[in-house]
């Protein structure tokens, strides 16, 4: 049953399989966690270790883009 008011994108995301390959690669290879420590983490702890709590920048405003285009013109 689909919950009323839930956006379609959230439903589609919930249906996707969990990306075990990517998570295991990040935890065991990139973060170099011992398997015992990796499997003991909660999802929130892993997310924090993988940069999930880091804020995202506001993005580039038009003035910044214009300055970059002047500094690095195409052709």
């Amino acid at each position: 049953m689909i919950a009323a008011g839930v956006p379609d994108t959230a439903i589609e995301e919930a249906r996707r399989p969990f990306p075990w390959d990517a998570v295991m690669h990040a935890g065991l290879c990139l973060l170099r966690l011992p398997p015992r420590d990796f499997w003991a983490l909660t999802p929130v702890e892993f997310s924090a270790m993988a940069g999930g709590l880091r804020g995202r920048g506001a993005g580039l405003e038009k003035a910044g883009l214009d300055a970059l285009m002047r500094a690095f013109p195409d052709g």
Side-chain angles (χ1 to χ4, degrees), residues 60-71:
L60 191 60
E61 305 239 348
K62 181 161 177 22
L65 176 60
D66 290 341
L68 281 173
M69 290 173 66
R70 282 191 302 277

Side-chain angles (χ1 to χ4, degrees), residues 22-60:
V23 172
M24 290 174 62
H25 176 75
L28 301 172
C29 300
L30 301 177
L31 295 173
R32 297 179 181 248
L33 295 169
R36 178 191 70 241
D37 296 343
F38 172 78
W39 292 110
L41 291 172
T42 66
V44 173
E45 290 169 332
F46 178 79
S47 178
M49 292 180 78
L53 298 181
R54 182 178 50 226
R56 296 180 185 245
L60 191 60

